[in-house]
Amino acid sequence: MQPEEEPVAPSASPTPATSAAPANAAAPAKAVAPTTPPQQVSPVYLLTVARRAKLGAMLKEKREEALKKLATAKALDAAVRNANFPAAETELHEEILLAGVWGILETFLTDITVEFLTCLPGGLQAKTFSLEGFAKGGSGSSLLREAAEKEVNELSYKTFPEMLKRFQDVFSFKRPLNETLINELNEVKCTRDAYVHAQGKVSHIYLRRAGGLARERLGRKLPLSKDYLGAAIDKSERLVNDFFARGPVNYVHFGQVKAFREMWEATHLNSVMTFDVAWQD
C-alpha cells in the first residue's frame, strides 16, 4: 500500500569516528526504526475517524453537484423563455425556479456543514449529550450526526448573513466572503420567503431582513424576471465557488490514507514503528 502523502525518511544521525575493528569482532547492531508513543487524541474525535476517510471526496462532490444543478436551472429557464408560454404559466415557472435555485444553494451549504461537524465534532456548540440521546442514536457517531443536524437546522431560521457567519467559523475561513455578494443573495432569500409565505408581497419581515436592498414598498408584489433570476443563479454559482475555495478546499485531503494514519498514530503501533517508516516504498 502506498500512502498518498510524501513519505518522510528518518533522519540519519552522524557516526562517530572509531579505530578499525578486529577481524573477529561482532557485526554492528542493526539500526532500529524510530518510534514515537501513540498520540493523545480525544475519544470523541476517534469516533468518526472512519467517516473522515470520505470527507474530502464528499466536499468535492457536493460542490460539483450544486454547480451542475444551477447550470441545469439556467438551461431550463432559457428553454421556458424560448417556448413562449402564456404569462400565467411563465409566472408560475419563475416562482418555482426561485425556490429551486435557493434550495440548491442552501442544501450545498447545510449538507457540507453537517457532515463536517459530524466528522470533526470539536466545532459543535453542543459539548454534552444525554444518555437518552445516546441510547436513541445507537452509536456515538449517530449522536454526533444528530447534534450537527440540530445545530445547522436552527441556523436556518436566522438571517442568511448570520447563518453564513457561523458556517465560515466552522470551516475556519482566513478570508471572509464578499459582503456585497452575501447581502444581494440575502435579498434573494427574502424574496423567496415572501413567495412561500406571503404570495410574493412585501411584508414587514421582508423589509427588516432585506434592509437597504428591499425592492418594493410594503404590500407591493415583488417582481420576478429573466434578468433577476439569471443574476440569482450567477450569484449562487459564485458563492458556491467562493465558499468552497475559502474553507472546504482545505479539507479535501481528508481521505483513506489520512484516516489510516490517524488510527495508526492513535494506537501502540506507533510505538513499534512510525506510519511513514512502516508504509514507505
Side-chain angles (χ1 to χ4, degrees):
M1 171 180 177
Q2 182 177 352
E4 299 165 354
E5 302 160 88
E6 186 69 24
V8 179
S11 58
S13 56
T15 304
T18 58
S19 58
N24 59 351
K30 194 172 184 179
V32 178
T35 62
T36 57
Q39 295 182 2
Q40 296 300 316
V41 181
S42 166
V44 175
Y45 186 76
L46 290 174
L47 280 174
T48 55
V49 64
R51 193 178 189 114
R52 286 194 294 279
K54 299 179 180 179
L55 177 61
M58 180 270 188
L59 294 172
K60 289 188 289 185
E61 287 169 5
K62 286 295 181 180
R63 171 182 171 271
E64 292 165 3
E65 178 183 308
L67 293 175
K68 183 178 180 180
K69 286 183 176 180
L70 288 169
T72 299
K74 187 179 294 185
L76 173 63
D77 188 44
V80 170
R81 307 284 177 188
N82 292 334
N84 295 318
F85 287 114
E89 295 178 7
T90 300
E91 288 175 8
L92 179 60
H93 157 74
E94 290 174 340
E95 292 180 26
I96 295 172
L97 184 65
L98 173 66
V101 168
W102 187 258
I104 293 168
L105 177 60
E106 190 172 58
T107 297
F108 164 73
L109 294 169
T110 56
D111 279 2
I112 64 173
T113 304
V114 166
E115 185 63 21
F116 186 84
L117 286 172
T118 304
C119 290
L120 297 163
L124 282 170
Q125 292 183 331
K127 301 298 182 184
T128 58
F129 305 94
S130 66
L131 290 175
E132 180 181 353
F134 185 83
K136 178 182 177 182
S139 70
S141 180
S142 298
L143 191 62
L144 293 172
R145 174 78 182 189
E146 182 180 355
E149 289 176 345
K150 181 175 183 293
E151 180 175 325
V152 171
N153 182 62
E154 289 174 352
L155 286 169
S156 67
Y157 292 98
K158 296 183 178 294
T159 66
F160 185 58
E162 289 173 334
M163 182 176 73
L164 266 187
K165 173 64 171 63
R166 171 61 181 144
F167 289 173
Q168 291 178 79
D169 291 342
V170 167
F171 283 96
S172 303
F173 277 35
K174 291 184 172 58
R175 290 187 301 128
L177 293 166
N178 182 277
E179 188 174 350
T180 299
L181 177 63
I182 293 174
N183 290 333
E184 289 175 351
L185 280 169
N186 177 59
E187 193 284 321
V188 174
K189 180 183 187 299
C190 293
T191 297
R192 172 262 183 194
D193 291 346
Y195 272 90
V196 170
H197 302 292
Q199 298 179 319
K201 296 179 180 179
V202 173
S203 65
H204 290 290
I205 294 176
Y206 170 86
L207 291 174
R208 184 175 69 253
R209 294 199 166 188
L213 294 181
R215 296 187 294 125
E216 279 292 352
R217 299 191 302 273
L218 184 66
R220 299 285 297 272
K221 189 164 185 177
L222 290 159
L224 299 178
S225 66
K226 175 183 177 181
D227 289 342
Y228 179 81
L229 292 169
I233 294 173
D234 291 340
K235 292 168 187 175
S236 296
E237 290 175 335
R238 180 182 168 190
L239 186 70
V240 168
N241 283 321
D242 287 357
F243 190 94
F244 185 83
R246 283 169 167 76
V249 73
N250 297 316
Y251 301 91
V252 296
H253 67 288
F254 276 55
Q256 294 179 352
V257 171
K258 181 169 176 57
F260 186 32
R261 175 190 286 275
E262 289 180 353
M263 289 189 287
W264 182 284
E265 293 179 346
T267 69
H268 284 282
L269 286 170
N270 214 46
S271 300
V272 178
M273 186 176 294
T274 63
F275 180 88
D276 291 311
V277 171
W279 297 101
Q280 66 182 329
D281 290 336

